[in-house]
Amino acid sequence: MGSIDADVIVIGGGPSGATVAAEAARGGARVIVLEKRTGDSPSRAGVIQPRVLELLDARGLMGRFRQAARDWRPDFEIPRYFYAGLTGLRYDQLDTAHPYALILPQTTTEHLLRAWAVECGAEVRRGVTYSEHLQDPEGVTVRALDGDGGTLELRGRYLVGADGARSLVRLRAGIPFEGRDSEMTAVSVDADLSFPWKASVHMHRNENGWVLAYPFGERTTRFIIVAEARRNVPRDEPVTMDEVNESLRAILGEDFGITGAKWISRYGDAHRMVPRFVEDRVALVGEATRVHYPASGIGMNYCIQDAFNLGWKLGFVAVGDAPRELLQTYHDERHPVLQDVMNDVATQCKLHFDFTSAGLELKRFFEAELVPIPEVNAILRDRLSGFRTTYHRGADPHVADGTRVRQFDLGETTYNDVAARSDFVLVEQAEVAPRDRAVNGRITRILAPGSRLTGSLSEAAAVLIRPDAYVARAWSVPPSDDEIQKAYDVSTCRGVRTEAQQVTG
Ligand SMILES: Cc1cc2nc3c(=O)[nH]c(=O)nc-3n(C[C@H](O)[C@H](O)[C@H](O)COP(=O)(O)OP(=O)(O)OC[C@H]3O[C@@H](n4cnc5c(N)ncnc54)[C@H](O)[C@@H]3O)c2cc1C
C-alpha cells in the first residue's frame, strides 16, 4: 500500500464536510477535503438555529457569523420562530446567549465554515470529484477526477462521506438508504422585487396552500410556496415565473411584482435514512445519512451538529489518543437523534400540508390554543433549536450528564474562551477543589467560583465537558482523580482497544 496522504479524507465541502474537516483538523488530524464544485452551491438553508450558534460561539466564530448576517440584512435575528408553518415559538425565551434564529444564506455559511476549516489546518481541494474507494486493514484508497479529467489517487486512514443526499460514498460503501421517494413538492424562490420589501417575516395560509416570505438580501425576497394545486408536480419539472406568480396570487392575493429570480428550486419530501453512520473506516455525515422535507429550517443545522460530534472523535482517533471504537459512538449518539428528527419532520408535514377545512381548523387550534402554552412552546422550540439533544448517561448520573453546555462565566474567563482553545474542559468549584490533579488526557482544568456554575450545573462540584460542548460527567461532590480519569476514558473509549487495532492503529 502507498504512503498515507491524510488521516482523514472528506468528500464534500458543504456545511457538513467543512465542519467535520475543521473539527478533525483542530483535534490533530491531517485532513484533505475533496469538493467537486469550483463555484458556490445554491443558497438553500436560510437560517442557523440556536444550538449551532452556541457551537460556533464555542469556537470563537460568532463574531464573523453575526457580521456576515448584519451585512446581509440589519434585522438578522428572528426571535419568534415557527413550527410546521405555524407562528409563535418564543425563541426569545430560550436559555442561551443566542435566543434567536440567525438569517444567513447557506452560501455564506459554507464560505465561513470552509475558511475556518483551512484555518484549522485542513486542505480543501476544489474541482476534484470522488469516484470510488477501496478499504483495507490499514486505510482507504480514494480515486477521484481532477478538473482536467485526470485521475487522482489518495490514501487516507479514514474516509468521510459528506457528499450530500445523493452520496456516492454511501453507494460505494454499500450502505442502504432506506425509506421512500417524494410524495409531494414545493417551490423555493429568491425573487427580485420591483420595490424593497420591508416586512421581516410574513406567513400566510388558506385552502390554496401556504407561503413563507422574508427579505433575503438587497431587493430580494425568499418565498417558500406550498401550493395545493401544484403539490403533485414532479420534482424535475422546471418552475416558471408564471407558476410562482399564480401560486402567490392564490395564497396571498397578490404577486409582489416579481421581476426575476436569483434562485428557483422545486424540492420534494423524500424521506430516507441510512441504518448505520459508520462502516469500518468510512463514516457518513450530514445529508449523506438522511434526506427529509426541509421543515422549519432545521436540515443543515442537524447536519452541522452531526459534524461537531464526529469531528473531534476523528481528531482523537487520528493522533492515537482514542481507539477506533470512539467513531462508533458517533453512530450510537447521533442515529437516535436523527431518527427523532425524521419522525418530527413527518409529524410537521402532516400538520402543515393539510389544507382541507378540517386541516385549517386544526392549524388554527394548534396555533391559537396550544402553541401559547409555555410548556408546549418550550417542547416545540427545543425540538427545532437542537436543545433537546442529550447523550449517553452512565449509571447513577448527575442531572447534567449528557446535556449541552452553553456559554457561562468562569470568573476570570468564560467557558467559550477556554473551549475555543481546548479539547475536554474540567471546571471545578475553586472553593472545594483539590490543588493538584493527576489525570492523563487532553483536559484543560479551570478552577472557578462555585457561584458561576448555573442551571443544571448549579449544584455541581465539578464538571468534565467534551470538546463538542456536552457534559461528559458532572459530580455533586468533588471527584477523585480516578473518577475523572474514568469519565474521560469512557468518553474517549480508552481501555476498549482490541488486539487487532493495537497493531493497525
Ligand atoms: C429548498 C431547500 C431549502 C432548505 N432550507 C433549509 C433551511 O432553511 N435550514 C436548514 O437548516 N436547512 C435547509 N435545507 C437543507 C440544507 O440545504 C441541507 O441540509 C444541507 O445542504 C446539507 O449539507 P451537507 O453538507 O450534508 O450536504 P450538501 O450541502 O449537499 O453538500 C455536499 C457537498 O458535496 C459535494 N459533492 C457531492 N458529490 C461529490 C463528489 N462525488 N466528489 C466531491 N464532492 C462532491 C457537493 O458539491 C456539495 O458541496 C434546505 C434544503 C432545500 C433543498
Side-chain angles (χ1 to χ4, degrees):
M1 294 295 154
S3 62
I4 294 286
D5 299 294
D7 295 315
V8 182
I9 299 175
V10 179
I11 309 301
S16 308
T19 307
V20 88
E23 285 289 286
R26 195 182 165 271
R30 287 171 301 152
V31 181
I32 295 177
V33 179
L34 304 183
E35 166 55 56
K36 70 178 179 187
R37 284 179 196 276
T38 48
D40 287 336
S41 64
S43 65
R44 293 179 290 170
V47 294
I48 306 186
Q49 298 281 349
R51 181 54 184 159
V52 175
L53 296 176
E54 288 183 340
L55 291 168
L56 297 173
D57 209 1
R59 294 294 178 261
L61 299 171
M62 265 319 284
R64 60 181 86 169
F65 273 83
R66 284 181 62 85
Q67 186 55 53
R70 193 174 290 113
D71 292 346
W72 184 245
R73 54 175 272 179
D75 56 338
F76 58 89
E77 297 175 357
I78 308 181
R80 295 201 178 212
Y81 205 65
F82 57 92
Y83 179 87
L86 307 173
T87 52
L89 284 203
R90 298 294 307 269
Y91 269 23
D92 54 345
Q93 292 179 351
L94 282 166
D95 170 31
T96 175
H98 304 288
Y100 54 86
L102 180 129
I103 298 188
L104 195 66
Q106 181 167 334
T107 317
T108 309
T109 300
E110 288 183 16
H111 282 186
L112 292 171
L113 291 175
R114 273 196 299 269
W116 173 47
V118 171
E119 282 165 30
C120 291
E123 182 191 340
V124 180
R125 297 191 193 174
R126 307 201 65 167
V128 182
T129 305
Y130 157 92
S131 47
E132 59 180 346
H133 70 266
L134 284 173
Q135 283 203 63
D136 57 71
E138 281 90 41
V140 186
T141 302
V142 171
R143 294 207 180 95
L145 298 173
D146 64 24
D148 305 322
T151 345
L152 191 79
E153 199 165 281
L154 288 172
R155 283 280 292 163
R157 292 173 59 215
Y158 298 94
L159 175 66
V160 175
D163 49 344
R166 295 186 186 147
S167 171
L168 189 57
V169 176
R170 181 182 67 224
L171 187 75
R172 298 282 191 244
I175 301 177
F177 204 30
E178 296 165 348
R180 60 159 179 81
D181 289 333
S182 285
E183 290 173 349
M184 60 158 272
T185 56
V187 167
S188 183
V189 191
D190 288 352
D192 300 322
L193 301 192
S194 51
F195 54 89
W197 199 56
K198 291 281 181 243
S200 182
V201 176
H202 181 69
M203 217 180 290
H204 191 74
R205 62 174 179 265
N206 61 17
E207 68 283 5
N208 296 321
W210 173 86
V211 167
L212 166 68
Y214 57 98
F216 208 58
E218 188 72 12
R219 283 184 182 269
T220 303
T221 295
R222 170 164 288 189
F223 293 96
I224 314 271
I225 307 166
V226 182
E228 180 66 359
R230 307 288 300 169
R231 278 171 57 193
N232 294 325
V233 172
R235 210 180 144 213
D236 53 6
E237 184 174 313
V239 189
T240 64
M241 290 316 294
D242 282 349
E243 175 186 352
V244 169
N245 285 327
E246 203 174 299
S247 298
L248 289 180
R249 275 194 296 272
I251 303 164
L252 293 174
E254 56 180 320
D255 62 19
F256 290 90
I258 295 175
T259 56
K262 293 193 173 62
W263 175 63
I264 299 192
S265 163
R266 194 188 305 280
Y267 58 94
D269 69 336
H271 201 81
R272 291 184 179 277
M273 187 169 167
V274 295
R276 48 191 187 279
F277 287 6
V278 179
E279 179 111 323
D280 210 358
R281 288 179 177 271
V282 179
L284 300 177
V285 67
E287 279 206 346
T289 67
R290 79 294 194 158
V291 61
H292 56 71
Y293 182 83
S296 307
I298 55 173
M300 177 189 76
N301 286 274
Y302 275 88
C303 292
I304 292 176
Q305 291 174 67
D306 292 348
F308 267 96
N309 187 296
L310 175 61
W312 73 267
K313 293 173 181 175
L314 281 166
F316 270 59
V317 172
V319 298
D321 284 337
R324 262 168 59 192
E325 275 78 2
L326 185 59
L327 300 184
Q328 186 57 36
T329 68
Y330 157 62
H331 167 91
D332 298 342
E333 291 181 341
R334 291 305 293 177
H335 195 269
V337 170
L338 266 303
Q339 235 155 8
D340 272 1
V341 169
M342 298 290 286
N343 292 339
D344 187 57
V345 167
T347 310
Q348 286 193 57
C349 289
K350 272 274 175 265
L351 182 59
H352 196 165
F353 302 133
D354 182 348
F355 301 111
T356 61
S357 53
L360 290 170
E361 174 52 24
L362 178 61
K363 287 192 238 286
R364 189 209 59 76
F365 172 71
F366 199 92
E367 193 171 53
E369 308 289 337
L370 300 185
V371 175
I373 299 171
E375 292 80 3
V376 174
N377 210 289
I379 290 169
L380 297 178
R381 64 181 183 242
D382 280 0
R383 286 168 99 115
L384 297 190
S385 60
F387 284 8
R388 203 164 70 125
T389 299
T390 302
Y391 294 139
H392 171 76
R393 294 152 65 88
D396 189 22
H398 185 277
V399 63
D401 284 4
T403 61
R404 80 182 223 284
V405 173
R406 45 161 292 188
Q407 165 76 311
F408 64 106
D409 184 8
L410 293 173
E412 312 263 292
T413 179
T414 65
Y415 166 68
N416 280 354
D417 285 339
V418 181
R421 52 182 164 79
S422 313
D423 297 308
F424 280 74
V425 179
L426 174 67
V427 182
E428 295 192 73
Q429 265 193 39
E431 298 84 353
V432 295
R435 274 178 55 158
D436 300 314
R437 282 284 183 203
V439 182
N440 293 318
R442 292 162 62 166
I443 303 175
T444 302
R445 184 181 184 219
I446 301 286
L447 299 182
S451 58
R452 305 297 161 147
L453 295 167
T454 56
S456 60
L457 289 174
S458 61
E459 299 295 319
V463 54
L464 181 66
I465 304 168
R466 305 188 337 179
D468 58 353
Y470 284 85
V471 174
R473 188 79 170 93
W475 295 268
S476 304
V477 293
S480 66
D481 290 357
D482 280 353
E483 284 173 304
I484 295 171
Q485 187 70 58
K486 190 170 165 221
Y488 177 81
D489 288 349
V490 167
S491 297
T492 52
C493 290
R494 279 158 39 125
V496 295
R497 176 167 279 239
T498 64
E499 231 168 73
Q501 282 165 350
Q502 280 174 19
V503 177
T504 60

